[in-house]
Amino acid sequence: QQGGLQLMYERNQAQAARVYAAIDSIDAYDNPVAPSCRSIMNLPFTLADEQCCQAFLAAADDAGLIGLKGHKSIGGCRASLYNAMSDEGVDALIDLMRNFAA
C-alpha cells in the first residue's frame, strides 16, 4: 500500500540524506561516522558539549520531538528514522537543528 520495499528504502535513504546534510552543514553538530558507514535508520550526532546537548534535547522536547537522546554508552543525540517517520517529522527536526544552532 505504501509502494513496496524499494520505495520505502528510497524514502528512508532520502530522509537520512536530508538529516545528514543538516548535521554536516551546520557547525553546531558533528557526526564522526564515515559517510560510507552511516546508518539510514539511526543517525547519531553530537554537539559541542554535554550542556549544549541537554539544551538541544530540552528544545526538542518543547517542540514535541522525542526520543533524540543518544545511546547511554555513547551519549550525544540520535535521530531514529524508522519507516513510520514522516517527511514532516524530518522537516521538524531539521528546522529545530537550524533554529537551535542560530
Side-chain angles (χ1 to χ4, degrees):
Q1 292 177 341
Q2 296 184 34
L5 277 176
Q6 184 61 37
L7 187 61
M8 292 300 292
Y9 176 68
E10 290 169 9
R11 186 175 143 245
N12 293 345
Q13 282 187 307
Q15 287 181 339
R18 291 174 46 219
V19 175
Y20 281 126
I23 293 168
D24 293 340
S25 68
I26 302 170
D27 288 338
Y29 308 101
D30 186 44
N31 179 314
V33 179
S36 63
C37 297
R38 291 179 174 179
S39 170
I40 63 171
M41 288 291 139
N42 289 296
L43 292 62
F45 58 96
T46 58
L47 289 94
D49 57 38
E50 185 61 25
Q51 185 177 0
C52 286
C53 183
Q54 292 307 316
F56 176 81
L57 292 171
D61 223 22
D62 290 346
L65 300 173
I66 59 170
L68 288 166
K69 187 175 181 179
H71 190 275
K72 64 183 176 181
S73 68
I74 297 171
C77 298
R78 174 180 62 189
S80 294
L81 302 181
Y82 299 116
N83 291 339
M85 176 57 70
S86 66
D87 287 334
E88 292 79 18
V90 171
D91 291 340
L93 174 59
I94 293 169
D95 288 344
L96 172 69
M97 293 174 79
R98 286 185 180 133
N99 292 334
F100 184 83

